[in-house]
Amino acid sequence: EPEVTQTPSHQVTQMGQEVILRCVPISNHLYFYWYRQILGQKVEFLVSFYNNEISEKSEIFDDQFSVERPDGSNFTLKIRSTKLEDSAMYFCASSDGPVGYTFGSGTRLTVV
Amino acid sequence: AQSVTQLGSHVSVSEGALVLLRCNYSSSVPPYLFWYVQYPNQGLQLLLKYTSAATLVKGINGFEAEFKKSETSFHLTKPSAHMSDAAEYFCAVRTDSSYKLIFGSGTRLLVRP
């Protein structure tokens, strides 16, 4: 069964550093997403991406965040200057439309 | 705006007992609803989804959920709990805007021996 692959599985970074989280969505999917889950809390939507542009973003997704699909296969989330409160599990997901959703296994980001 | 509410942040059952995890939704259009399970330090695994076909949806691991429009509910059930069912369960609704999912706050299921 096709999978969404996320790398790395765990990243530790110093406050103020830039991080890039990587995702390889399912190849024939058209919609791409990033979600965040702070430890012990619910999963929150960050951003959706369709047709090579952001289709929707949440209030969390401020100027410190950006997404890219640089080469037609990878989908990346960049945090320019990390803060302690950015520590969370970040999930990538892709979809072929209304209901064909697949999540990756997540990247645990720890900001120290 | 669409949303889901999960009643009970923690549910504790004995092994072999019925599991009932509650989810109510709010949506102005026919909703697409999902249940996900998350084991400790792991990702989200899809249990089942409702896509406006049959109102009783069967999923993996013996779980099922029934869509009840009159009650705006999509509760998750399993006839007999197993120790391996202990996990966090999330209900989610798909929105019309960009097809993103809105998650409930989750219910942690504890299974007592």
Side-chain angles (χ1 to χ4, degrees):
Chain A
E1 187 170 332
E3 290 185 344
V4 173
T5 305
Q6 289 187 245
T7 55
S9 57
H10 192 185
Q11 179 152 1
V12 181
T13 188
Q14 288 202 325
M15 193 167 54
Q17 294 295 305
E18 173 183 287
V19 294
I20 298 176
L21 309 183
R22 302 181 191 279
C23 169
V24 179
I26 293 173
S27 60
N28 63 343
H29 282 186
L30 302 175
Y31 301 84
F32 312 110
Y33 307 85
W34 284 100
Y35 291 81
R36 180 182 82 175
Q37 184 183 32
I38 294 172
L39 186 63
Q41 298 187 24
K42 70 176 182 180
V43 180
E44 301 173 291
F45 167 76
L46 289 179
V47 65
S48 58
F49 193 86
Y50 172 73
N51 202 24
N52 287 320
E53 61 182 19
I54 291 174
S55 50
E56 187 174 353
K57 59 184 180 180
S58 72
E59 292 175 354
I60 302 168
F61 194 89
D62 61 20
D63 291 344
Q64 292 299 311
F65 291 88
S66 63
V67 289
E68 252 192 341
R69 191 157 156 80
D71 55 13
S73 61
N74 290 284
F75 181 50
T76 62
L77 174 69
K78 182 192 293 186
I79 309 175
R80 290 193 181 81
S81 178
T82 49
K83 304 189 263 296
L84 294 176
E85 53 264 37
D86 293 327
S87 294
M89 182 76 91
Y90 289 82
F91 292 106
C92 175
S94 70
S95 172
D96 60 1
V99 291
Y101 240 87
T102 304
F103 279 87
S105 54
T107 293
R108 181 167 296 284
L109 176 65
T110 303
V111 182
V112 297
Chain B
Q2 288 137 313
S3 65
V4 289
T5 302
Q6 291 185 243
L7 301 175
S9 58
H10 292 79
V11 170
S12 180
V13 300
S14 298
E15 191 173 19
L18 171 72
V19 174
L20 171 61
L21 304 181
R22 301 177 187 273
C23 174
N24 287 90
Y25 70 89
S26 173
S27 178
S28 57
V29 298
Y32 288 170
L33 296 160
F34 303 76
W35 274 100
Y36 285 88
V37 61
Q38 186 179 36
Y39 297 99
N41 299 312
Q42 293 192 27
L44 298 165
Q45 183 180 11
L46 178 67
L47 280 176
L48 50 81
K49 60 187 176 186
Y50 169 73
T51 61
S52 73
T55 55
L56 182 62
V57 182
K58 294 189 184 299
I60 62 171
N61 302 340
F63 284 93
E64 62 181 38
E66 186 172 6
F67 174 75
K68 291 187 176 180
K69 184 178 178 181
S70 61
E71 299 177 8
T72 62
S73 68
F74 189 57
H75 300 333
L76 182 71
T77 60
K78 181 174 180 177
S80 176
H82 193 271
M83 296 297 290
S84 60
D85 294 327
E88 186 93 20
Y89 291 79
F90 292 96
C91 180
V93 62
R94 194 218 74 187
T95 67
D96 285 342
S97 64
S98 73
Y99 298 148
K100 71 178 185 287
L101 298 185
I102 301 295
F103 285 83
S105 53
T107 297
R108 183 168 298 277
L109 177 65
L110 307 170
V111 182
R112 305 185 302 271

